[in-house]
Amino acid sequence: MTLFSVRNVRKTYRVGTVETHALRGVNLEVSRGEFTAIAGPSGSGKSTLLHLMGVLDRPSDGAVVLAGERIDRLPRAAAARLRLARLGFVFQAYNLIPVMTALENAAFVLELQGVPRREREARAREALGLLGMDGLEGRMPNQLSGGQQQRVAVARAIASGPDIVLADEPTANLDSATGQALIDLMRRLNEEQGVTFVFSTHDPRLLSHVRRTVRLEDGRVVDDEHADAGQGDA
Amino acid sequence: MRRPKRLTAMVVCLLLAASGTPSLSQDVPADAEAVLDAVVENLRGGGQRATIEMRVEDGEDVETYRLAIISDGTDRALTRVLEPAREAGQAFLVNGNDLFIYAPRLGRTLRLPPSGRSDSFLGSDLSYNDLAGDDVARDFTASIAARDEATITLSLTPNENAATPYGEVRMNVRLPDLAPLRLTYFDQRNQAVKRIELSSFELHDGSGPVPTRFDVVDLRPDGGRTVARWLDAEFGVTPPDRCFTLEALERGCEW
Amino acid sequence: MVKLAWRSLFRQRRRTALLIAVVAYATLAILFFWGFVDGFLNSIYQGQGRLVAAPVAIHTEAYQADPDLSHALTELAAAREVAAAHPAVSAVSARLDVPVLLRSPYASRGANLRGVEPSTEPAVSDVPGAVKEGRFLAAQGEVVLGIALARDLDVRLGERLAVDANGLDGPAATGLTVVGFVDSGVEQVDETVVLAHIDDARTLSGVTTATSLAVGVPFGREEAVARALNQDLSAGVAAFGIMDQMGDLAQGLAAERLQMLPLGLLFSLFAAVAVTSSLVVSVMERTREFGVMLALGMSHRRLGLMVTTEAVLGSLLGLGVGLVLGYALLVWLAQVNVLGPAIMAAYGDFLSGLALTNDVRADVRLEYAMYAGFTVVLAAVFAVITPARRVARLVPSEAMRAPD
């Protein structure tokens, strides 16, 4: 069942008279329960694609559809509500809120949703537990390692039970072993909890456990490889 | 600015009340107080009508006034300025302790308060307050400081709480007619600060000697000098009371 | 929302401390500025009051309107009794003010001779205490002069001064021996004071009683005691506080204070700019954090509200701290004479023309909190407008890329 549908999306940035084509007609479908990597070198358009899927930005052309509903032209406030209710985000490092503990960070989205304190803390604790962060709930971000910080970010993303978690280069600032461990954790959440993940990476070594890899180059999908099916879908 | 200058009762008596009523005793008293009384009494005699030229020197500035004076010889005097033209018409009335000024330009009569009396009288070394006068006999005790054939020098020292700022006044009196020749005022530091010289004595109808010239010299640094001369005078007259009224001050008094 | 903002403030201690410090400093500075200005003016006022007038003066209403000898206080004994009966009154002393002409061999000056009771005058006036050369009056026949007046007349201690007056019974004169010089440092006093025994003043004026009663009252209670005394004084006789005795001065000082207003506003503006800029900087520093919050689904409106709440809370905290510290400082400066010696040491010569005593106490008024509060609110409004607008323009995908 198709959860996300990206249809012929283009994104052009204009700086003065110079036009930069970040995406040149991308098509992508993501089904519920997928664990999908978007791979490609720097500047290939990975982050732009994830931002468009996350309603953090609008495409210049084309459509983004979430569960049958177009979301690419939503007003700002509606986009915020959508992100809060249905999407989970993991960004590159340093995206925790520095004044909050690990637990508060993990519970932050629930707090914004208005979930009562007791319940949100229980859910945040559970999410942290799933990511092996037991006992570190009271730490501030600056007391955590980079890998631990990203695990808190993942816990924050899944704690509210979103339709999909979009992770933009979550391992970019981690060493490869820690990065691999983070991907393994996300994979396990995908398999055991059924969380849908789409993440971007430029590190090909991380792709061994991924079921589907979409390769972007120069704003175009050049390959869409399913580990079990082995079929491209560009 | 001219500093207000100060004389006391003697000047008042001399300038405004000088007269020549024949009351002079030719016997020179031996006692200082008696000499002083005799001198004052001689000068206090009777009325006069006179024109006086008053020359005021203050450094480079020299101003000459002509004043018409009517006095009853006691404590009443009417003075009118005749010259210079700019000051002409101003008049001063001394009536006992009261001092009035008539300002023709304002057309008004002013009674001088005590503070105003320190202002200089026509810019001279005399002030309005001098014109109002004090009681010499009450304020000073006389003693004989020196005496020779021709003169007797009285030393006048203020009584306790006397209303005078001076430490001593020395008076040179001519013998045997007891004409006052010179008054020297000393401050309380024994410095002479002012001198009045009297001269050109005249005798009228057997009166005592009447000075018709005063030289008032401020002895302090930059002090000025005032010279008063009687140009014409009638001594021994008795002006009517109406000459010492506010009406006379404003319109003059003919008789 | 308040909780969120509070947590943010509490967790970001260094930033919050800085904000509080800036706001508190601004508040303190404003409080100090006005407390000092008013204290300074008060000191001139009180100083002049106790040198030139009396804490409370009792005289006839006619004398208040026209200080002429003919309006003297004839019912002296009765008024004295009323004044002495009030518990706050420490001393009562009769005074007889007579316009006189003072003459030395060198100069003469019009002046107001104040006949006083030598034994009680020091309890109602600061002038006897300001006799720096010679001594205060002890008996009749003596006079104490302001040092500047003495210089004008060129008289020395021990010398006699001729005094002429126009009394009720006609002109009167006497000679008084100079026994002391008043050197208060206050020009108006040193140029005008002439004190003599009240009996000499009676002789000069022809008044057998006094023109007024000077009443000793503790600092700051002048007007209240005057009101109380007025209940018991007989008709036509009234008690006057310093304000009534020195209406011109009070008006002058009010005008003086008005002149300080632009300076005070400028002061407030600087304070407001400091508060605003520290709030703006603290928002700019957090651009990335705000980007993350927006990306996670916080609405711009909610974020703006959070930033505003933080600014308001932080400013209020700073205001509170500033008010506590500021008022503590003012209360201390009102109780301990620290300002006086400091001002005198720094500007004594320059200020000698004012009736400023060595005693300068800060004033403590509730309205200063309003001045400071107004400033902080003004700053907060600026501060909230600027960062809130900034927040409103944030694009999350860009904000997250902002440098730390």
Side-chain angles (χ1 to χ4, degrees), chain B residues 6 161 164 187-189 220, chain C residues 103 106 154 159-160 175:
Chain B
R6 210 79 340 254
N161 295 333
T164 172
D187 63 13
Q188 296 171 62
R189 302 158 201 169
R220 290 173 299 160
Chain C
R103 287 186 282 130
Y106 327 100
D154 191 10
E159 291 183 347
R160 188 185 345 90

Side-chain angles (χ1 to χ4, degrees), chain A residues 13 51 54 56-57 76-77 80-81 83-84 87 89 91-101 104 108-109 111-114 117 120 140 156, chain C residues 3-4 7-9 11-12 15 286 288-289 291-302 306 391-398 400-401 404:
Chain A
Y13 294 105
H51 284 166
L56 292 168
D57 212 343
R76 208 167 67 167
R81 276 198 298 277
R83 285 198 298 273
L84 184 61
L87 305 179
F89 290 92
F91 307 105
Q92 293 183 23
Y94 316 123
N95 62 63
L96 296 184
I97 294 163
V99 299
M100 296 182 188
T101 62
E104 285 163 348
F108 183 66
V109 173
E111 189 178 353
L112 290 181
Q113 287 175 346
R117 184 193 175 111
R120 71 173 185 251
M140 302 303 285
R156 178 176 66 192
Chain C
K3 255 197 277 182
L4 209 67
R7 183 171 61 197
S8 176
L9 282 176
R11 297 281 171 75
Q12 280 292 344
R15 189 165 56 210
R286 296 164 69 192
R288 191 190 170 100
E289 181 185 329
V292 170
M293 288 178 168
L294 289 171
L296 292 177
M298 190 182 233
S299 69
H300 279 83
R301 192 174 149 274
R302 198 163 172 192
M306 189 188 84
V391 162
R393 283 200 302 264
L394 282 183
V395 175
S397 54
E398 288 169 15
M400 280 186 300
R401 284 197 288 270
D404 275 323

Side-chain angles (χ1 to χ4, degrees), chain A residues 109-174:
Chain A
V109 173
L110 294 169
E111 189 178 353
L112 290 181
Q113 287 175 346
V115 175
R117 184 193 175 111
R118 191 176 300 230
E119 184 189 338
R120 71 173 185 251
E121 285 192 355
R123 285 167 67 180
R125 252 176 233 286
E126 190 189 340
L128 285 171
L130 288 171
L131 286 146
M133 291 292 290
D134 290 308
L136 299 174
E137 294 92 342
R139 296 230 179 144
M140 302 303 285
N142 61 6
Q143 296 168 321
L144 297 171
S145 70
Q148 288 170 331
Q149 287 189 35
Q150 285 303 66
R151 278 191 269 167
V152 174
V154 173
R156 178 176 66 192
I158 63 166
S160 61
D163 292 343
I164 186 169
V165 173
L166 302 166
D168 185 13
E169 303 243 19
T171 62
N173 291 309
L174 303 178

